Amino acid sequence: MSEEQKQAENRARPTTDEFRAFVKEDWAPRRPTVSGPSPAAPYAASRRAAVSAAFPGERLIVPAGGLKVRSNDTDYVFRPHSAFAHLTGLGADREPDAVLVLEPLAEGGHEAVLYFRPLADRDSDEFFADTRYGEFWVGARPSIEDVELELGLTGRHIDEFAAAAAKDAGSMVIRLVRDADRDLTRSLDAARVENGAQEESLAETDDALAHHLSHLRMVKDEFEIEQMRAAVAGTKVGFEAVIADLPEAVAKGRGERWVEGVFGLHARHTGNGVGYDSICASGDHANTLHWIKNTGDIKDGDLLLLDAGVEVEHLYTADVTRTLPVNGTFSDAQREVYDAVYAAQQAGIEAVKPGNKFSDIHAAAIRVIAEHLHAWGLLPEGVSVEDTLDTEHGQFHRRWMVHGTSHHLGIDVHDCALATRAEYMDAELEPGMVLTVEPGLYFKADDLKAPERFRGIGVRIEDDVVVTADGCENLSAGMPRTADDVEAWIREVQGRNV
Ligand code: GLY
Ligand code: MN
Ligand code: MN
């Protein structure tokens, strides 16, 4: 009995044989839990084909991961490992403890087999008594037939996984995504070592697969681009709901919490939820880059930096930042900082085109930031723009923008995290890549090097762009960006239905 079960014993009720017999009777025949093939299925199949070609003759194991305890006997809502989601097409909530295995075939290629916990029969204890998996407690799960129809791969019961994963382990390379499911990793490591694998080389063997799967997500297919469009559309709904409620957020007090809730409500309604914890940072909080505590008030005259994104059911997330004048009008100092960040972002967006490198986006944006800091006289005496941009001896400007300008975006907000520097930072941009462009300037309230008028002002502007054949498309262009357009946007949204 697990610790959690022991703790729940004091709340257990008697289960009689009579109840057991009664509870399994008189249910209508089960209906399928899926309505047909998933639109993601053919794209997931192409991705698996690419993986199959890269690792011929090897068994490749990609777990979804298990439920994670939040506290005591309550779990977080389940979120599958990103590689699993990408290769199966399964999205939000699906499928705890499942494992995708690409099993090499004698004739070449691989068979995709999804081992998972299918719906239990109604005469099982699980049906009514299992609080973690039982239908009475968490709802019906798909059957094997459901999953095969939905995803176009072979479905098997998870109980068959351990034997299948270790089969012929002595005579074939087995690679595993290690960070999805620690228990599974431990037992598969033991099985591999028992069959002659070198313990020291397991991590290296597995890392090659994890790296491949992360890099595979770098150029998005058309399904993924559509998912990103949907994520951005939902994000716009959330931003406009926040704008409409800004006066309420000020009046109520604890306004950052209110904004987090309003955005979260719409994220949940238009998509699956937020793709990362929203940053709802008013006033000086905007100068804390990942301010996710969101515990502050929002005051008239302040800026609100809202960095938030809707994640859709297939888990693709937007990542957008707008810095909004709470009362609808930028002060002169706020506008001065805002315009500098806007100019930097514009330069960054213009650098997003095939032939340029990923690192060129930051180079373009940070130069504009450095130029403004220089013009404001904030760099050390005698330090030119070129001096500060010198990566060996300069970098003084980083005091006011310490972060990079861009990252890849997709199923993870910081997507493709295991790609190498050559594949990421130093790589040429290609059509289908989805990136953020997000410069900022951050003048902390206690920054004595900052002009007094700027202290307590933090601005970031972040958009999501897809690289096209000759440049890029700004997916989040529907959310105004210039200072004038932001003010007009606030007026327009707050004027609706008045
Ligand atoms: N929201 C986190 C980021 O912009 O990277
Ligand atoms: Mn962001
Ligand atoms: Mn970002």
Side-chain angles (χ1 to χ4, degrees), residues 276 279 290 307-308 318-321 407 413-414 436 438 460 462:
Y276 54 93
I279 297 169
H290 286 169
D307 181 343
D319 179 11
V320 174
T321 306
H407 55 82
V413 63
H414 299 153
T436 67
E438 50 174 309
R460 177 163 65 255
E462 176 172 26

Side-chain angles (χ1 to χ4, degrees), residues 62-81:
V62 187
L67 291 163
K68 291 192 174 62
V69 173
R70 178 174 185 272
S71 175
N72 184 25
D73 61 351
T74 53
D75 295 320
Y76 288 105
V77 171
F78 180 68
R79 202 260 193 214
H81 191 280

Side-chain angles (χ1 to χ4, degrees), residues 62-125:
V62 187
L67 291 163
K68 291 192 174 62
V69 173
R70 178 174 185 272
S71 175
N72 184 25
D73 61 351
T74 53
D75 295 320
Y76 288 105
V77 171
F78 180 68
R79 202 260 193 214
H81 191 280
S82 296
F84 176 89
H86 192 235
L87 294 183
T88 59
L90 289 172
D93 312 333
R94 311 237 351 242
E95 229 12 88
D97 302 330
V99 189
L100 174 69
V101 176
L102 298 187
E103 182 66 20
L105 297 168
E107 64 270 30
H110 288 77
E111 181 187 17
V113 184
L114 186 73
Y115 293 88
F116 73 108
R117 191 188 293 270
L119 185 57
D121 290 338
R122 283 163 169 154
D123 60 2
S124 65
D125 276 8

Side-chain angles (χ1 to χ4, degrees), residues 40-52:
Y43 297 94
S46 307
R47 299 168 200 152
R48 292 194 298 269
V51 180
S52 170

